[in-house]
Amino acid sequence: MKLKTLAHMIALIGAAAPALAQQAQSSAPMQRVEITGSSIKRMAVEGALPVQTISIDQMDKQGITNAEQMLRLISANGTGADNMTSGNNVFGADADRVSGGGSFASLRGLGPSGTLVLINGRRIAGYGLSGKAVDLNTIPLAAVARVEVLKDGASAIYGTDAVGGVINFILKTDFEGVQANASGNFTEHGGGATRRLQLIAGKGNLDTDRFNVMAAIGYDKNDRLDSSQRSFANGFQPGRGLAPDTTGTPVANQLTGAGSALGTGFKLPGDPNTYLQAGLLSLQKKCDSVAGMQQYATGLWKDVTSPLRSTYSCSYDYGGDYVMQLPTERTNFVGRATFQLTPEHRLYAEAVGAHTNSLAILTPAQISTTLAAGNAYPVGGQYYQDLSAYIPTFDKTKPILYKWRAWPLGDRTQKYETDTARLLLGAEGTIASKWDYRLDLSHSFSRTTTDLVDGYANTAALYKVLGSGVVNPWAAPAEGQSQQAMDALESTKFYGRLQHGKTTLTQLNGSISGELFNLPAGAVSGAIGTDLRRESYQFRQDVDATQILLAPGNGNQDRVSRNIKAVYAELAVPVIKDLELQLALRRDDYSVIGATTNPKVAFSYKPTGWLMLRGSANKGFLAPSFGQLYSGRLNQELPNGVTDPVGCASHPGDPRFCAIERLDYFSGGNPKLRPETSKQGTLGFIIEPSANFSASVDYWAINVKDRILNRTPQVVLANSAYLQDYIHRGADGVIEYIDAGWINAAGLKTRGADVGLRGRGNLPGGYKWNATLDGTWTQSYQFAEFEGQPYVEYVGNFYTRDIYLRWKHNATFSVSRGDWSVLLSNLYRDGYKDQLPDAGKSAPPAGFNPHVSSYTTWGLSGTYTGLKNTTITVGIQNLFDRDPPFTAHNVDEVVGAGWDPRVADPRGRSLSFDVKYKFF
């Protein structure tokens, strides 16, 4: 459905309304509140915009202990690589190398920068290290009352970055007493336990005491979960189309090269081929004698990695050696004081803070030695590996080049430490009994540091130690290294601060709303407001990261800032009885980008007491982030098997062109980026045939132009005919490196529908039941990498950043009586077409299933409130111990081997408890 057609349908419904209008049923007076998606205070009933509400009670009963887990309850959130597990990755052109410690939301799969995360309707600074969006680890769940999710774009209300929607964490504001809360979630198979402690205290009643002071503190901890603790995390299943594409193994494979023992290539007796790698264990057919190693599955990757490299090499299941859940500790704090000056006016001050520690743990560094680097194994070294018994041309008078997974250095471990805070001062109230106002000033910051705590070494010093021959690269981890070797390696290791980043946000908000005048159908309400912001970002390497082997990070970014000045207006117009229009207009002026004006129109119409029609149409404008504009130039590398389409066509079979090993590329910011612009709309209905049942369906459509994408080296290569300026070749035509980075790509089009069901009733014996379902059906998600290229459909297909599933839902069914209640919950994620082995260039093995199955889990919990001031909840998550569905995706580009963390939870069946005690 085209957006223009959607807008026309909205207009037609508005035009037809007079013929259908009926008198509204009377109802008792309700308190006016501000609902997410509007600046006008009104009755808290269903309106023109689709808003999902998640209570803290729902989270507790489903064993949810942090905001990242809460995203599972939002079916409209993307199925992408924005979680902490997927973010723990430095491989792949799309990997954000400075967000490994963060967790982000992505409504409609439009990315974290297109989703606005608020606390009490106000902004908070983005993640300190990357500056791209709010890190969900900083959300203080200890004081959260509920979460409201606006699934429609809200650029005209909240700002230009609310293209995908808004997630508004609403805090408790008038708590009295003292309440302690302890909860935990423990897995049946070990690892991955989560714990949470919370304490909240408040004093004062605004009505009688004219003040309320409240403070809350929370602490939660997530234990580490390793792939070795789950049998499904197995990256070596070649019969099903999955095997690791690497020859960087704990027991090294030898490489060819001029001046080395294997020369520029070798032949074996009776074999005309010239091979480029060899491993002693492979030649002996003993690769699997070392834990985590196997004979390289040459047939599975023959068109990606040349058989000349892999036939006599071992591989290493590094995908099966990943950390599935990062060890994390969070401490959150909220303090709020509210003073009722008069019945009409109140002042408030609010402080929100968070401190987060997390460890990002990667497999040991992979090293490919060269003569130029001086790290080849020397002739005469005590561990010199002579292959002349297998390879007649082996020259033991020459040094050995090798590829090695440097296990004695340890796992590459990065410690992320984030401090986030926001201080807000405000006033709100009513003027002349009809004008509601709100004015607040806030300042927030987020600062993140990265320390290297293991697995990283100073490159020059490490290469010197390797070149000395004291380290045995052919020793299995079970055999160990000599003390002399371990001491020498330890002397090369780098410990300490690598980098830090900081974002700040200072904001002045003011709005006033109320009834303007009367129409025959009722009063016209309006709101006007202003939003003044100053944002800044800086990123610095504390040491020269280029001197540390495989250290993550971006280029330095000196402090940059921008001012945003915005004014907005909103009207709620009762056109006729039961038909209301919401009209909004916002103008934002960015100091370094320019100005934009974005309108929004929405309607709600009740032709009968049991039916409401609603819809909206609006425009959006997403300014590029500081990192996208200004991040420094960074040198990275691609994994094995990259193909040069131009060079391979003229040099068929030549691995220098057809199976390039570890190709270098550069990435960085682009100060010439244009903002993304969008048009989006919704059209839906709510039916409520009785007070005990309601159903809603909202069809949505979003079009985006000038989409800001990371121009990956793979995309540059695939479009080499158009992007030759970005591909740098040597005199022999071999690619030396590629320029990549951020660009304004072509557009994006996505369509779908949100479905909501609510039911309640009575059962015999005094029991009550309640049921809910929130689901999202994605009809289409299409985009093109470059202008002029055809749009490609991604729904139901594997993709390296997000997986756009056809259907997702979360459902609950509860039964209660007296002090007891029982909740049954269900999470469902649709299946999709799997990634093809060998990049789809050859027929997959017979055991390959081209379809990844759906993923569904059930949870069961019971709650008892019969003890004085106490609430106890005990539950089982993943009741039937469902493993993640198998996928043949290889770990490069997206974390996971044999499973995918974007879709499934690796923890398995777990037992949860939650205990609340209110002292008085």
Side-chain angles (χ1 to χ4, degrees), residues 226-415:
D226 290 317
S227 293
S228 60
Q229 295 174 280
R230 297 294 184 269
S231 60
F232 58 80
N234 176 7
F236 188 74
Q237 303 182 58
R240 303 174 75 180
L242 174 63
D245 180 25
T246 182
T247 56
T249 48
V251 176
N253 290 299
Q254 294 194 24
L255 305 176
T256 55
S260 71
L262 287 178
T264 57
F266 64 90
K267 294 180 183 293
L268 295 178
D271 189 338
N273 295 311
T274 299
Y275 294 97
L276 303 174
Q277 281 185 208
L280 178 60
L281 291 179
S282 177
L283 292 167
Q284 295 174 339
K285 303 185 185 304
K286 295 181 179 179
C287 288
D288 57 2
S289 64
V290 177
M293 286 177 49
Q294 312 86 15
Q295 175 61 43
Y296 187 95
T298 299
L300 200 61
W301 297 107
K302 61 184 180 62
D303 295 298
V304 172
T305 296
S306 172
L308 302 179
R309 293 190 185 279
S310 64
T311 298
Y312 295 105
S313 296
C314 298
S315 67
Y316 164 61
D317 183 13
Y318 58 113
D321 198 19
Y322 263 84
V323 175
M324 293 173 146
Q325 178 175 289
L326 277 60
T328 306
E329 291 184 77
R330 308 177 185 89
T331 302
N332 298 300
F333 170 81
V334 173
R336 183 180 173 93
T338 307
F339 301 93
Q340 193 76 42
L341 300 179
T342 71
E344 294 81 20
H345 305 282
R346 66 177 59 173
L347 298 177
Y348 55 91
E350 183 179 277
V352 177
H355 177 80
T356 303
N357 282 315
S358 62
L359 292 180
I361 305 169
L362 302 166
T363 53
Q366 179 175 262
I367 299 172
S368 294
T369 64
T370 65
L371 295 179
N375 53 7
Y377 197 85
V379 175
Q382 60 179 320
Y383 306 116
Y384 190 91
Q385 189 183 69
D386 183 2
L387 297 183
S388 57
Y390 300 90
I391 301 173
T393 57
F394 186 89
D395 187 350
K396 54 188 176 182
T397 67
K398 300 287 195 309
I400 299 173
L401 300 177
Y402 59 91
K403 182 183 289 187
W404 181 46
R405 183 71 59 170
W407 58 266
L409 287 175
D411 289 337
R412 288 169 288 169
T413 307
Q414 307 149 33
K415 178 183 179 182

Side-chain angles (χ1 to χ4, degrees), residues 875-911:
I876 300 175
Q877 280 68 54
N878 197 347
L879 187 61
F880 302 107
D881 201 21
R882 171 71 186 273
D883 283 342
F886 174 79
T887 168
H889 161 64
N890 190 38
V891 72
D892 288 341
E893 310 296 341
V894 179
V895 171
W899 74 289
D900 198 316
R902 297 173 296 175
V903 174
D905 184 345
R907 300 171 72 251
R909 184 159 48 216
S910 62
L911 175 69

Side-chain angles (χ1 to χ4, degrees), residues 310-590:
S310 64
T311 298
Y312 295 105
S313 296
C314 298
S315 67
Y316 164 61
D317 183 13
Y318 58 113
D321 198 19
Y322 263 84
V323 175
M324 293 173 146
Q325 178 175 289
L326 277 60
T328 306
E329 291 184 77
R330 308 177 185 89
T331 302
N332 298 300
F333 170 81
V334 173
R336 183 180 173 93
T338 307
F339 301 93
Q340 193 76 42
L341 300 179
T342 71
E344 294 81 20
H345 305 282
R346 66 177 59 173
L347 298 177
Y348 55 91
E350 183 179 277
V352 177
H355 177 80
T356 303
N357 282 315
S358 62
L359 292 180
I361 305 169
L362 302 166
T363 53
Q366 179 175 262
I367 299 172
S368 294
T369 64
T370 65
L371 295 179
N375 53 7
Y377 197 85
V379 175
Q382 60 179 320
Y383 306 116
Y384 190 91
Q385 189 183 69
D386 183 2
L387 297 183
S388 57
Y390 300 90
I391 301 173
T393 57
F394 186 89
D395 187 350
K396 54 188 176 182
T397 67
K398 300 287 195 309
I400 299 173
L401 300 177
Y402 59 91
K403 182 183 289 187
W404 181 46
R405 183 71 59 170
W407 58 266
L409 287 175
D411 289 337
R412 288 169 288 169
T413 307
Q414 307 149 33
K415 178 183 179 182
Y416 292 94
E417 189 167 348
T418 300
D419 291 296
T420 301
R422 186 186 74 181
L423 178 65
L424 182 145
L425 302 173
E428 64 181 4
T430 305
I431 302 172
S433 300
K434 69 173 186 177
W435 298 102
D436 298 311
Y437 73 89
R438 182 175 178 181
L439 178 68
D440 55 67
L441 174 66
S442 65
H443 177 76
S444 63
F445 73 87
S446 178
R447 186 178 190 272
T448 304
T449 60
T450 306
D451 290 345
L452 302 184
V453 297
D454 200 13
Y456 290 92
N458 292 287
T459 305
L462 175 63
Y463 284 0
K464 184 176 181 180
V465 168
L466 296 181
S468 71
V470 68
V471 176
N472 181 5
W474 297 285
E479 299 170 354
Q481 296 281 339
S482 69
Q483 190 61 49
Q484 181 186 11
M486 295 302 293
D487 291 343
L489 289 172
E490 181 65 26
S491 70
T492 73
K493 293 173 74 170
F494 176 87
Y495 298 100
R497 182 63 42 81
L498 174 70
Q499 60 198 10
H500 66 274
K502 183 178 182 180
T503 62
T504 66
L505 170 64
T506 302
Q507 184 173 26
L508 176 65
N509 283 284
S511 65
I512 186 168
S513 66
E515 295 182 358
L516 302 177
F517 55 88
N518 289 316
L519 291 176
V524 175
S525 299
I528 59 172
T530 184
D531 176 5
L532 307 177
R533 305 197 305 273
R534 181 172 180 82
E535 303 171 343
S536 75
Y537 171 65
Q538 64 179 10
F539 176 87
R540 302 293 298 176
Q541 296 282 356
D542 291 271
V543 295
D544 185 356
T546 63
Q547 303 303 307
I548 302 171
L549 185 67
L550 298 181
N554 288 340
N556 285 335
Q557 172 58 61
D558 293 332
R559 186 175 184 272
V560 288
S561 62
R562 63 189 179 196
N563 298 324
I564 301 98
K565 296 177 290 185
V567 293
Y568 58 90
E570 181 185 355
L571 289 175
V573 182
V575 180
I576 58 171
K577 205 68 172 177
D578 301 324
L579 171 64
E580 181 180 272
L581 293 182
Q582 180 191 15
L583 307 174
L585 187 69
R586 181 181 176 109
R587 181 171 178 82
D588 293 81
D589 190 350
Y590 285 75

